[in-house]
Each structure stands twice: as C-alpha cells, then as structure tokens.
Amino acid sequence: MAPTLHSPVPDFTGAGPGGTWFEGGRAETDDPAVLAYARRRGYGVDEEAPEVPEPPAPVDPRTVQVEQVGAPLRDAAADPHPNDHLPLTEPEPRKPSTRKRPSAKE
C-alpha cells in the first residue's frame, strides 16, 4: 500500500504535487521525490497529520504606535522653502562630433 499524504488544507480536493490527486485532504503515492517534497512543504505523510499553526492574535488598532520613516511630506506651494524656487540650470552645450560618418557611396 502506498503512503498517504495529508494536505495542509483540511478536506482539500484537487491536484497536488507530482500529479497526485487529493480527495478529502488525502492522496496516495509511492514516488519518493513527491514524498520528500511533501515532507519539506508541510504535508503529512502516512499517519502524520500536518501541523496547523495557530493564527496570530488580532491586533487592536488603538494600541499601534505610528513610526515616521523618512522625511515628512510637504506641499511646496503651501509651505515654500527658500531653495524650492531656484532657477533651472542649463546643460552644457553639445560639442560637435569628431567621428567620421560614412557616406552613402561607401
């Protein structure tokens, strides 16, 4: 008899790893690669049911502390600083190319 895989999702029915088919959270396979994959990914193998972690406790939003990350945003039109209106600088003029361009006859 082939080892039984137990899905991490209770009562799962559908396709599983390596072409296995789950019915009610269980599938059978004797492929050692699929069994090794299933053990690494949290599937139960044989009679071992997978461990289902407890969900974390909900957080009360009234107790969460807000932490400023980076500089605060500001509207430069409503709160201008002296450096906000510096004149734009012009880029350096392009120097003419010294590369010889091929002519149409070459």
Side-chain angles (χ1 to χ4, degrees):
M1 184 168 159
T4 302
L5 296 179
H6 298 271
S7 171
V9 179
D11 300 325
F12 173 73
T13 299
T20 58
W21 184 260
F22 282 87
E23 290 275 341
R26 295 175 181 226
E28 291 186 358
T29 184
D30 54 0
D31 185 349
V34 173
L35 293 171
Y37 175 87
R39 284 187 182 101
R40 286 192 316 265
R41 299 296 180 185
Y43 291 80
V45 179
D46 288 329
E47 295 302 318
E48 311 163 14
E51 291 184 20
V52 179
E54 287 188 30
V59 177
D60 184 3
R62 295 173 291 182
T63 62
V64 175
Q65 297 292 326
V66 178
E67 182 180 336
Q68 176 80 31
V69 178
L73 294 177
R74 66 179 184 84
D75 186 356
D79 183 23
H81 286 180
N83 294 339
D84 286 343
H85 306 291
L86 292 177
L88 298 176
T89 58
E90 293 293 325
E92 292 184 24
R94 286 185 76 181
K95 297 177 182 172
S97 175
T98 58
R99 192 177 90 201
K100 183 178 178 183
R101 296 177 189 243
S103 66
K105 294 181 181 179
E106 289 182 22

